[in-house]
Amino acid sequence: MTDAAVSKRRLRAASVAYWAGGFVLPILVLCALAAAGGVYPFGPASFLADDLQYQYVDFYSWYQRVLGGEEALLYTSSQALGSNAWGLFSYYLSSPFNLLLPLFGDSYTLFAFVACALRLGAMQVAMMFYLHRRFPGVRALGLPLALCYTLSLWSVTNLRNPMWLDGLVFLPLAMLGAWRCVREGKWGLLLGAVAAAVVANWYSAYMLVAFTVLYALLECVCARLDVPGFDARRFAKTLATGAAALVGALALAGWIFLPTVFSLVGDVSEDATPQAPGMLPPVAAASASGEGAGADEAAPDAATPDAAAPDADASPGLLDRLYDAYARNAYPLSDCVRGLASGGFVLEATPQLFSGTVLVVGFFLFMTSRRVPWALKAAVCVGVVFLFASVWIKPLYHVWCGLRAPRGFYCRNAQFFGVLLVWATACAIDRTAKGRFGRTSVALSVALPAAGLAAAALAGMVASWWCLVASALVLAVCGVFFGFAYGNPDAGPAFCRAAFAALVASVLLEAGANANLAWGQIYGAYQQGPHDAYAAESRSQAAALQAYDSSDFRFAKTYTRILQAALNEGMASGYDEISSYSSAHNGYAIRFLNGIGYSAEGYISTRYAAPQLFMDSLLNVKYVDTPLAAPGLDPVSDVPAIEGSRLYRNPWALPIGYAVSDDVRSFALDTPQNVFERQNALASALLGRDVAVFVPCEARVAQDGRAQGGPVRYEVDVPAGAIGYYAVVGTDKEPCFVAVEGGAAMKQAYRFQQAVTPLGPQAVDAVTYQVTLGDVADESLPPYEIVLDAGHSVDAAPKNDTSCVFYALDMEAFQQVIEDLRAGGAVVESHEDTSVRATVDAGADGELVMFTIPFDVGWSARVNGAPAQVVPLAESAFLGVEVPPGRSTIELAYVSPGLALGCATTGVAAAVLLALAICRRLRASRGGAGAHQSVRGKHARVSH
């Protein structure tokens, strides 16, 4: 073998080692972090946190069944009465990494860890690829710069929401495509990268596109300075080409993007219905003697529990709401500044702006370099200020977040700040590739970050001295590397290699220290062992229940796996339920369930928190697993319940479809009624006559301690044979606690705990309950505690106009309503996620059959084989089908709206791209042939 061949082989081996090392290093860091923190699979603490804990892990179980052909991809009945599942798929699950799910069985946490590790490796390789193509002068320095990108604080804290990492995999490719579009007019890579990002996750792709547009403008400034002839005409042509590429990317991804748009448009889940006041008068009406007001003085007429109006000033004014929505900063400036510091991370407080001290040094090298034009420096400074302001200023932040205010994961766009620093650092290195940085430039670039780090430490912004030491080490290594090794012809190869290795090692050490600080705040509270045990028990219970009862039913639980927020257990274990917590859902169903008394209004989630016999019966909730009182339900001993709970059967549960009055078409939650009166109104609309299944209880305010900062105590009379219920109401209610008969106090008026709740069992004789409403003075009580332990008591006043109303379920009226509706019940022959087949016997005039499935334009119906119209009922909370007299067979089928159009759009886009590629190949071949003929002709003329 020749020396050239040996040298070529060595270079190839070195290149493979370089790229493989880049892929493996972030994965090793992730494993080291898990091992150091005792996080699964290297310790007992679960890797599941926040959305990964509440949402993804359950969705993984559902998606695995979809991939195995056991469930439908288009629709799920396991989420809040039912929902178009396409939005859920494209938001949480469409990443190509999730196709590995079947390899992991039911080890979903292990899959989540491995998938995050693979994402980090892919992010690293993608950024290295971008840096080497865009800035050839960075050479091996592409490795540590890409590590700053991959192991940024934003990345390591968002492993709990994996979908956002998919955007960071494709971002470097989109940036490279934008650069090629600017410099060469080539648009293929930009189109492909954006299309792939949209397919992987449309939400992160939205932010990717926004940043790519800004980045393209920066590259245009760079081209204007570096490329002769890059004038306004070429700039306009570049913009047009880039815009066409982005449109083409959306068209190519139309098969997933358009159905997603259809599934998300018109979400009303966060629309709150008009609220009714409770029975408490304003606190100023309490006696000034220091004693609580008596029943005769404080309580309005028990027959009119909504009579008392709240203070006119209870709700914020228009200017206050506008200020809060648009003028108030997203985060305090001090927290934003702290987010720039190594070791400054505080969970739910500081934006994750920190990406590595070496990037700060690189930014100052960029700003002090004589090889960088001042116009380019100004453009980068504008970008840095804008991206920082996008984190700080609420209107800008909302633009990045899709023109809406996100409720969780407090900073969603901080990663782009670090990306711009990577670009500036690489640009400075690339422009200095044939020389070296000036000693003054290096000294300033090290001294300024050192001063900032010291100032942050003195100001108390650094929470970890390990991070401080690691950053100081990075500064020292940067000073040595850029001052004495990089570009220094007098430096020996061994010294340069040692300095480079020290730079990589210090970057890894600093990233690990900051990640360890963040992980200590994120992981540890939730243990993997109990999680696995609960999940296995839940799946076993669901399978046993389905074997016990093969009919069509919904199954509800009043508890969750963790913190009342793991509300997708039905999707995980394969049963239909009421609860749901997902950014993709049927908004009409969520709004109805929350407004009718199941959960708190104004949120995208709904939680089944307590059995309520009437609504459960209407909604086909046949089984309930709860540790609470379950009046009207029968215990089930043949199916095991989760430890500490008990399983009940609802003998009054109606089938999923039954005949109703036309009045339900106009039923609406638009009047300021309390939830009991709304349920009465719903019963009346279903039957077409006035019905009162709930009647007000005789309730008195026995003691009103609000004037003294104490709780309110009620006495509530429930008539014989009835079931008493209470609900917390108020136009400006706040979280509170309610205790019945001195029992455990339950939190109410809270996002995950706000429901119609029984006072006790069905009363054989008339009974009087003692009910306490208030709050807990101990401010150390965690906000997610919904049941007070023995160490706390309801000893503080309820806030604002928070109050209670008390009603009794009239069992005679209830049973008559159920019997009337059951008489028109449909016999469900089959019920799959995307299809229902049922038969019903209609009267002489035909019937309107209501299915307790949310209305969606994707549903189509056939009655006795002929197409029939599907109509929305109860503000689209349900769907209805009209049937003729006699026995009819109803067939419902579902296809996600926009799917056919999206597939057609993708097909057209693919055909156009293929045609363009063929035309380009033909032009290239003709051009080559023409050049060949020209050469041959020239030679012929010479010989002649």
Side-chain angles (χ1 to χ4, degrees), residues 262-434:
F262 278 88
S263 72
L264 298 178
V265 167
D267 183 13
V268 298
S269 59
E270 295 183 271
D271 294 351
T273 61
Q275 297 296 297
M279 64 180 293
L280 288 177
V283 70
S287 62
S289 63
E291 299 292 326
D296 294 336
E297 298 170 318
D301 190 338
T304 56
D306 294 337
D311 288 332
D313 299 331
S315 59
L318 176 62
L319 293 180
D320 292 333
R321 293 197 299 270
L322 290 175
Y323 174 78
D324 184 67
Y326 300 107
R328 190 190 304 276
N329 293 330
Y331 313 99
L333 181 60
S334 60
D335 285 342
C336 293
V337 173
R338 181 171 185 158
L340 295 169
S342 174
F345 178 77
V346 177
L347 186 63
E348 306 298 336
T350 54
Q352 315 99 302
L353 290 164
F354 180 76
S355 296
T357 301
V358 69
L359 298 185
V360 183
V361 173
F363 173 75
F364 284 112
L365 287 174
F366 176 86
M367 294 303 298
T368 57
S369 174
R370 295 180 179 179
R371 294 179 174 86
V372 179
W374 282 104
L376 187 56
K377 293 178 182 179
V380 169
C381 285
V382 169
V384 167
V385 171
F386 176 78
L387 291 175
F388 182 84
S390 296
V391 171
W392 175 35
I393 300 174
K394 183 176 285 189
L396 290 177
Y397 180 59
H398 285 188
V399 170
W400 283 98
C401 294
L403 304 178
R404 64 192 299 268
R407 289 189 180 275
F409 286 89
Y410 52 94
C411 192
R412 304 189 177 193
N413 60 330
Q415 70 274 29
F416 299 116
F417 184 85
V419 174
L420 186 55
L421 295 187
V422 170
W423 188 92
T425 303
C427 183
I429 294 171
D430 186 61
R431 289 175 179 267
T432 317
K434 296 181 179 179

Side-chain angles (χ1 to χ4, degrees), residues 608-635:
Y608 185 92
Q612 39 181 307
L613 186 58
F614 177 60
M615 284 307 305
D616 288 355
S617 301
L618 294 183
L619 298 181
N620 187 230
V621 179
K622 191 175 182 180
Y623 292 94
V624 175
D625 194 343
T626 178
L628 306 176
L633 305 185
D634 299 331

Side-chain angles (χ1 to χ4, degrees), residues 755-779:
V756 169
T757 306
L759 291 167
Q762 182 177 353
V764 177
D765 300 314
V767 61
T768 299
Y769 289 96
Q770 307 293 323
V771 180
T772 301
L773 168 69
D775 205 347
V776 178
D778 185 0
E779 296 182 357

Side-chain angles (χ1 to χ4, degrees), residues 834-836 858-862 870 891-895:
T834 57
S835 65
V836 179
W859 284 107
S860 60
R862 301 182 73 85
V870 177
E891 296 172 292
L892 298 176
Y894 186 84
V895 176

